[in-house]
Amino acid sequence: MALLTPEDLEDLLNKLRQSNETIKASTGKGITEICEEVYGTRPASQKVAIVPITAGNGIIGNFSSSLLAITEYFGLEGYITDHPDITGYHQAVSDGADILLMADDHMFIAHNLKNGKIAANHICTGVIYSEIASRFIHAGSKDVMVIGLGRVGYAGAEHLVKKGFNVYAYDPNTEFMEKAIEELGVNAYDSADHKKFSMVFEATPNANTISEGMITDRCLISTPGIPCALPAELAENGDIDLVMEPLVIGAAAMLYSVF
Ligand code: NAD
Ligand code: 2YG
Ligand code: MG
């Protein structure tokens, strides 16, 4: 799995503000309202403890401080534990924290100790980015394109199918394609069909996964994938709305899903 770098997390709240402007312009609602509608929850003064984790590749610079900034952006009190790992976990529970945020190289979780709810970042990221794509106010149909059916992409495809969208998907991994066709009932995207989409949810670790032939002139591309899926020459087109942000949107969805 591609890990975040400290550089990805620089200037995070400005990146969020830009993304939120695009989300509002293309869906009519901001990220807070969308999270409230998807999860049916609101913050209620929960205390959030962020526990740095040294396992595997270790601490990522700016990761814990970014989670603290996100916590505070959504109106909650938060803090980073003095020590990482088990000692930090013990401190958070002893302090009476309501919600824990912590990540190793494989899982990033939010755990609400008071109501028992637990959220995984890959699921929440898939749900919230696919939800944003599906809300495009200029869409002419219920067709949505999903690019990448890994951990994040599959969760988003499942969310869209459950919401009644007509989901097309592409992943070069044939096992993942077959699973999504059999278990979710998605349509296999075939470029030879020359079908174009105005709503695209992209979740791959690769650049330039979107080609001109896949998208309508006016479209919304919602992507947690790093680096950018949209080739630079297409990104210059002012009619393409691009929602792409490295951490906050997915982390916000995690918090709302455990409130
Ligand atoms: P994953 O490895 O589980 O899945 C990625 C999938 O993309 C694979 O199935 C792969 O076959 C597919 N793929 C690769 N190239 C493709 C192409 N050209 N067209 C279609 N599919 C292609 O990864 P993941 O955990 O699902 O994460 C996906 C991306 O999202 C990563 O870049 C990850 O870092 C990022 N991510 C971002 C956030 C965020 O908040 N912004 C949160 C979680 C993950
Ligand atoms: O506590 C720390 O600083 C580290 N143990 C955090 C490790 C996080 C690793 N995960 C990732 O980099 C992401 N792929 C998942 C985070 C989702 C946002 N893109
Ligand atoms: Mg995010």
Side-chain angles (χ1 to χ4, degrees):
M1 187 211 294
L3 298 180
L4 286 167
T5 67
E7 293 71 37
D8 290 332
L9 301 177
E10 277 168 9
D11 210 21
L12 204 65
L13 291 183
N14 263 330
K15 286 178 192 158
L16 172 67
R17 273 182 207 105
Q18 282 170 20
S19 293
N20 210 21
E21 287 313 309
T22 308
I23 294 170
K24 279 184 197 156
S26 53
T27 73
K29 294 196 172 147
I31 187 62
T32 304
E33 266 180 292
I34 294 175
C35 283
E36 284 176 8
E37 289 181 8
V38 170
Y39 294 105
T41 56
R42 283 169 186 246
S45 305
Q46 292 91 343
K47 190 159 113 182
V48 178
I50 295 143
V51 185
I53 299 292
T54 64
N57 287 288
I59 305 278
I60 295 177
N62 295 335
F63 187 73
S64 290
S65 59
S66 297
L67 295 184
L68 181 57
I70 294 165
T71 298
E72 290 171 347
Y73 179 90
F74 287 94
L76 297 175
E77 185 194 330
Y79 72 103
I80 301 167
T81 56
D82 298 330
H83 295 277
D85 306 329
I86 305 300
T87 309
Y89 182 92
H90 183 268
Q91 182 193 350
V93 176
S94 306
D95 285 349
D98 298 303
I99 296 173
L100 303 185
L101 289 176
M102 50 193 177
D104 64 13
D105 294 346
H106 193 63
M107 288 278 283
F108 171 22
I109 62 167
H111 187 187
N112 187 324
L113 299 172
K114 301 295 158 69
N115 64 16
K117 291 186 191 176
I118 190 160
N121 176 262
H122 56 281
I123 305 282
C124 294
T125 300
V127 166
I128 201 71
Y129 276 86
S130 65
E131 173 79 24
I132 291 166
S134 76
R135 288 179 175 235
F136 188 43
I137 49 179
H138 303 293
S141 76
K142 295 204 94 177
D143 295 346
V144 187
M145 175 71 194
V146 175
I147 304 172
L149 289 167
R151 300 198 319 161
V152 175
Y154 192 89
E158 183 170 27
H159 178 67
L160 293 168
V161 168
K162 282 186 183 155
K163 285 196 64 178
F165 283 86
N166 194 18
V167 179
Y168 288 74
Y170 174 69
D171 192 307
N173 182 319
T174 49
E175 270 177 44
F176 289 3
M177 273 310 304
E178 279 162 22
K179 182 169 185 271
I181 292 166
E182 278 165 28
E183 293 182 10
L184 302 179
V186 307
N187 306 286
Y189 170 76
D190 183 349
S191 59
D193 294 340
H194 302 291
K195 190 169 170 56
K196 285 175 176 258
F197 295 85
S198 65
M199 299 186 282
V200 177
F201 162 58
E202 195 269 2
T204 86
N206 292 326
N208 304 334
T209 57
I210 294 174
S211 61
E212 200 167 6
M214 281 177 188
I215 50 175
T216 55
D217 292 340
R218 184 159 205 190
C219 62
L220 172 59
I221 293 163
S222 178
T223 176
I226 306 168
C228 185
L230 192 65
E233 63 274 16
L234 292 181
E236 284 164 19
N237 175 350
D239 285 336
I240 299 181
D241 289 335
L242 177 66
V243 175
M244 183 184 70
E245 181 284 322
L247 184 66
V248 183
I249 294 173
M254 293 168 73
L255 287 172
Y256 277 82
S257 85
V258 302
F259 285 158

